[in-house]
Amino acid sequence: MNLARPSESIIRALWGLAVLALVAAGVAWVVEGRFGAPGVIALILAILLGGVAIYLSPEQVRAWISGRPFAFGTNAALASAAFLGIMVLLNILATRHAQRWDLTAEKRFSLAPQTLQILQSLPEPVEALAFFSQNFQFARQDAEDLLDQYRHYSNGKFSYRFIDPVAQASLARQWGVTRDGTILFVMGDRRQEVTLYNEQEFTSALVKLIRATQPKIYFLTGHGERDINEEGDNGYAQVRRALEREGYQVEALNLAVTSTVPADAAVIVLPGPSRPLLDREVEALKGYLNAGGRMLVALDSPLQISGEGVTESVNRVLEDWGVAFRNDVIIDPVSSMFTDPLTPLSSRYGFSSITEKLRGIATAFPVARSIDEVRSQPERFRVVRLVETSGQSWSETDLTGLRQALNQGRLPTPEGKKLGPLALALTVEQVNGKGRVVLFGDADFAANQNVGANLPFANLDLFVNSINWLSESEALIGLRQSPTSTVRALSATPAQTRTVFMLAVVVMPLAVLAIGAMVWWQRR
């Protein structure tokens, strides 16, 4: 007894259902990342439906295979396979010989020059152990993207791996990790812990690994100096944090109490005193410098200092070094910030490792004074003009006349005044000794309000680079990336990522193909 031949519409329906089941299996595999129960069921259903269609109409299958459409389809499939093979090969080559291009105007996705310098000069291999559980996956992508950049630019000296502290609890205990999302930077027997995923934190961890010890930077107090803990506009809290990121210990020092400079001082900083130093403090600092000490002095202009004798007491500390602060105010109507001639803006730097990486980036000095070489002593000291004003600037010593002119909304004339270029900053070092000094004719330039991330100036880099030069940490001198240049990528779970991939790469192209097939079927 022969069964009746099924209609052509039934055969088409079977083939259509088989194709839909096959697509459903692919979708389930992409979304779940594996062949789970839904994917397996859909695949089995596709095979069964296709098998039934072949069993019910074998002649049609044989005719289709021997016809021209099958030949054309086979050629198209081979061409597609060849194209996919070429793309896979190109992807392998790109992976093995990876290149990165940052086309953003502000280089937002590039590591800072200082970070690149540190990565390329790591003394030993560094491994980052990132402890992220399944519950902390929302932050993993940010950390992994940045870690991958560090690995890429390290010449093989930086590597990383992710560890699940829940699934591998014994390993987490072995490393002493108790907080999910912790990253340990390990070099030899030293380690640094990081819980924030930005370039500043990562590079700071590397710096602290490189340093065998933490040099101490002492900021003098007791004379109205800038406070390293003050968060207001005039404080130095941002400077303190920047130095701590560079691996320094930052402490306050009152010489009126201790009367001697601590033996562990790497650098002494005198940040804008408004009252004169005591005689015994002057002698203690002179002795420290002449014995090979390192000191940074930033002195505000006399317009901002109400106390008498401040300039004289500071110059007494420096009198053996052949340099002195002038009792003046710099006026630079040509190169100034916000058209304020009392705030020189300069990118005229001397030949020094401090400013080598700052070329083309200006620094601003609100109401500054100039610094002079009072006598030439090339056999004992080497002096470099670190920052200069423009040639159209001048030194205004008539402070009473300057105040009157400013109150009247005008500037005094430069006739008879010392003309620029004037020294805004100087470095002095002993030729046959270890002593080094950096002088700035302004303390405001490093205050919180002038080193903010939203300002296009290199003030913070200039200050921190000076400390690195003084402490003989030249390897850390560089241009630091502004925090505003850090852009966080959008985080997504693995399922969300696969869903986006499925919609963009699979569903949309299949929809176009389906529409094209329908049009072809209707017009054939």
Side-chain angles (χ1 to χ4, degrees):
M1 176 176 159
N2 295 327
L3 295 172
R5 175 188 172 90
S7 64
E8 187 174 347
S9 60
I10 294 177
I11 300 299
R12 290 178 183 175
L14 288 171
W15 281 115
L17 291 173
V19 170
L20 288 177
L22 187 62
V23 170
V27 170
W29 174 71
V30 171
V31 172
E32 293 185 9
R34 60 186 181 87
F35 259 124
V40 171
I41 293 172
L43 182 60
I44 293 174
L45 184 60
I47 294 173
L48 289 175
L49 290 170
V52 170
I54 292 173
Y55 175 77
L56 293 177
S57 58
E59 298 84 1
Q60 185 179 4
V61 174
R62 282 196 296 269
W64 179 68
I65 292 175
S66 60
R68 292 180 64 186
F70 180 79
F72 290 150
T74 302
N75 291 335
L78 291 174
S80 299
F83 175 76
L84 290 175
I86 293 172
M87 295 303 295
V88 170
L89 179 61
L90 290 176
N91 188 60
I92 292 173
L93 291 174
T95 301
R96 293 183 178 179
H97 306 281
Q99 295 294 327
R100 295 169 182 261
W101 293 276
D102 186 352
L103 302 180
T104 58
E106 299 179 359
K107 300 300 179 184
R108 291 178 175 269
F109 302 101
S110 298
L111 296 179
Q114 186 200 34
T115 298
L116 297 177
Q117 179 180 327
I118 291 171
L119 285 171
Q120 292 164 9
S121 60
L122 289 174
E124 298 179 41
V126 175
E127 183 180 27
L129 306 177
F131 292 85
F132 285 75
S133 70
Q134 292 297 320
N135 297 326
F136 220 73
Q137 293 300 306
F138 66 92
R140 171 171 173 157
Q141 191 61 53
D142 288 345
E144 188 169 4
D145 288 345
L146 190 54
L147 288 171
D148 192 59
Q149 288 194 64
Y150 277 61
R151 178 200 57 77
H152 177 77
Y153 290 109
S154 67
N155 295 328
K157 288 189 175 181
F158 183 89
S159 60
Y160 68 90
R161 58 189 168 113
F162 280 83
I163 299 170
D164 189 329
V166 176
Q168 298 174 277
S170 60
L171 188 57
R173 285 194 299 270
Q174 176 184 334
W175 286 100
V177 173
T178 58
R179 179 177 176 180
D180 203 352
T182 296
I183 301 178
L184 290 183
F185 287 76
V186 182
M187 184 176 73
D189 58 352
R190 298 196 295 276
R191 67 179 71 176
Q192 286 293 325
E193 181 177 305
V194 172
T195 55
L196 296 176
Y197 320 121
N198 58 57
E199 184 180 349
Q200 283 189 341
E201 294 295 325
F202 284 15
T203 301
S204 175
L206 291 179
V207 169
K208 292 174 182 177
L209 284 177
I210 293 172
R211 289 187 183 275
T213 59
Q214 282 189 290
K216 282 191 176 182
I217 310 298
Y218 287 97
F219 280 71
L220 293 181
T221 62
H223 317 90
E225 294 92 343
R226 304 305 173 103
D227 189 347
I228 57 175
N229 295 311
E230 182 184 340
E231 299 289 348
D233 288 346
N234 297 318
Y236 266 36
Q238 290 205 48
V239 162
R240 172 181 55 78
R241 285 192 290 269
L243 291 175
E244 289 172 345
R245 287 195 296 267
E246 302 278 316
Y248 293 103
Q249 293 184 55
V250 181
E251 295 184 12
L253 173 65
N254 191 334
L255 284 178
V257 176
T258 63
S259 73
T260 59
V261 177
D264 61 353
V267 178
I268 298 294
V269 180
L270 180 57
S274 58
R275 294 189 293 275
L277 305 177
L278 301 176
D279 289 343
R280 66 173 181 272
E281 293 174 319
V282 170
E283 294 304 318
L285 291 173
K286 285 181 65 175
Y288 167 74
L289 284 179
N290 292 334
R294 319 293 174 83
M295 192 168 178
L296 186 151
V297 182
L299 190 59
D300 283 315
S301 76
L303 282 182
Q304 300 165 282
I305 300 175
S306 57
E308 297 291 334
V310 177
T311 304
E312 291 74 12
S313 68
V314 173
N315 284 339
R316 283 173 56 201
V317 175
L318 303 170
E319 62 186 358
D320 295 336
W321 290 66
V323 291
F325 287 96
R326 286 175 57 85
N327 216 8
D328 66 352
V329 175
I330 293 175
I331 298 179
D332 194 341
V334 174
S335 180
S336 55
M337 184 173 68
F338 306 133
T339 67
D340 177 8
L342 269 64
T343 302
L345 191 66
S346 178
S347 57
R348 296 168 58 100
Y349 302 122
F351 184 75
S352 170
S353 59
I354 295 174
T355 54
E356 181 182 358
K357 304 293 177 63
L358 306 184
R359 301 295 175 185
I361 307 176
T363 43
F365 298 84
V367 194
R369 67 167 81 209
S370 63
I371 311 168
D372 261 351
E373 297 177 52
V374 293
R375 60 178 181 272
S376 178
Q377 298 183 3
E379 72 284 353
R380 292 185 57 196
F381 300 101
R382 183 181 299 109
V383 181
V384 174
R385 282 194 170 195
L386 198 62
V387 187
E388 287 185 329
T389 61
S390 72
Q392 288 72 40
S393 62
W394 71 87
S395 166
E396 184 58 60
T397 55
D398 182 5
L399 303 183
T400 301
L402 175 61
R403 289 188 180 94
Q404 291 176 351
L406 293 176
N407 289 335
Q408 296 170 5
R410 60 180 180 85
L411 286 176
T413 61
E415 283 76 12
K417 313 291 175 55
K418 182 177 181 178
L419 302 179
L422 304 171
L424 283 162
L426 288 177
T427 64
V428 190
E429 59 181 322
Q430 292 176 330
V431 174
N432 297 314
K434 295 183 177 181
R436 290 183 173 185
V437 172
V438 179
L439 307 179
F440 290 100
D442 180 34
D444 281 329
F445 89 99
N448 294 333
Q449 63 181 337
N450 296 314
V451 296
N454 59 329
L455 296 175
F457 307 128
N459 290 21
L460 184 62
D461 290 305
L462 180 62
F463 189 97
V464 178
N465 285 354
S466 298
I467 295 294
N468 286 330
W469 180 78
L470 287 168
S471 64
E472 295 187 341
S473 301
E474 281 88 347
L476 301 179
I477 290 177
L479 183 62
R480 292 146 194 86
Q481 191 170 25
S482 164
T484 56
S485 298
T486 301
V487 177
R488 290 177 58 84
L490 291 176
S491 300
T493 64
Q496 291 171 334
T497 302
R498 287 192 291 268
T499 301
V500 171
F501 172 85
M502 190 66 199
L503 291 173
V505 179
V506 178
V507 175
M508 292 178 65
L510 282 178
V512 173
L513 289 175
I515 294 172
M518 290 173 60
V519 172
W520 170 81
W521 186 264
Q522 291 175 355
R523 294 183 178 180
R524 68 184 179 89

